[in-house]
Amino acid sequence: MRILFLNGPNLNLLGTREPGIYGRQTLSDIEARVRAEASVVGATVEFRQTNHEGELVTWIQQAMSGWDVVVLNAAAYTHSSIALRDAIAGSGVPVIEVHLSNVHSRETFRHHSMIAGVCRGVIAGFGPESYILALRAAVTLTDGQK
Ligand code: DQA
């Protein structure tokens, strides 16, 4: 099973970015935790980060060939990007929306997700553990396809 983790803008700053909200772990720390868990469940994972909306769109389009599930933290593009929504809807690959913070307990502009309606599910509010929960959800999804 192959799971692609895509991370959007400003997530490269994790560790120093608003630690009261996002904690002190870097994206590399989170990747290491995901890789450790992936080896337990027998999944192949890849982690990518970009600050560019179009790059996320391209990666989601490309995920059709070669990846079973995409775990997507679209960061701020979650709340604004029709292009990402269209890419997810058009790609056919199951996408799990993930967030470190509980977006529903924050500013009202974070309460709406442009992409949730075309994702298989949403996990938010558990810090780095959100990524582990998303990995487990991805495994469950692919098990269901067998
Ligand atoms: C985030 C939540 C978004 O609202 C925010 O723009 C981010 C990170 C999260 O993981 O909690 O950049 O996606």
Side-chain angles (χ1 to χ4, degrees):
M1 145 206 5
R2 290 170 55 79
I3 305 166
L4 180 60
F5 285 76
L6 299 181
N7 295 279
N10 301 304
L11 294 172
N12 54 315
L13 299 179
L14 287 177
T16 55
R17 174 193 182 200
E18 299 184 89
I21 297 172
Y22 298 115
R24 292 267 177 211
Q25 291 195 31
T26 65
L27 196 58
S28 297
D29 294 335
I30 295 171
E31 177 176 353
R33 281 178 67 170
V34 167
R35 286 191 178 283
E37 180 69 14
S39 68
V40 173
V41 297
T44 300
V45 296
E46 186 171 313
F47 249 70
R48 299 181 197 165
Q49 189 276 330
T50 180
N51 291 327
H52 303 282
E53 184 179 10
E55 193 154 31
L56 284 173
V57 168
T58 299
W59 287 342
I60 290 164
Q61 290 178 2
Q62 291 171 347
M64 275 189 286
S65 44
W67 297 94
D68 297 307
V69 181
V70 170
V71 174
L72 173 64
N73 187 347
Y77 291 136
T78 305
H79 315 296
S80 66
S81 180
I82 297 169
L84 269 183
R85 182 191 175 96
D86 288 349
I88 295 164
S91 77
V93 68
V95 176
I96 298 170
E97 178 182 338
V98 69
H99 300 284
L100 294 155
S101 64
N102 178 357
V103 286
H104 299 288
S105 69
R106 299 181 62 193
E107 304 95 326
T108 49
F109 64 83
R110 295 185 204 277
H111 297 181
H112 181 69
S113 168
M114 283 287 185
I115 63 173
V118 291
C119 289
R120 292 296 294 268
V122 181
I123 297 167
F126 300 98
E129 191 67 20
S130 289
Y131 283 71
I132 303 296
L133 295 170
L135 171 67
R136 295 201 184 122
V139 171
T140 304
L141 277 184
T142 53
D143 283 350
Q145 287 163 9
K146 282 175 194 156

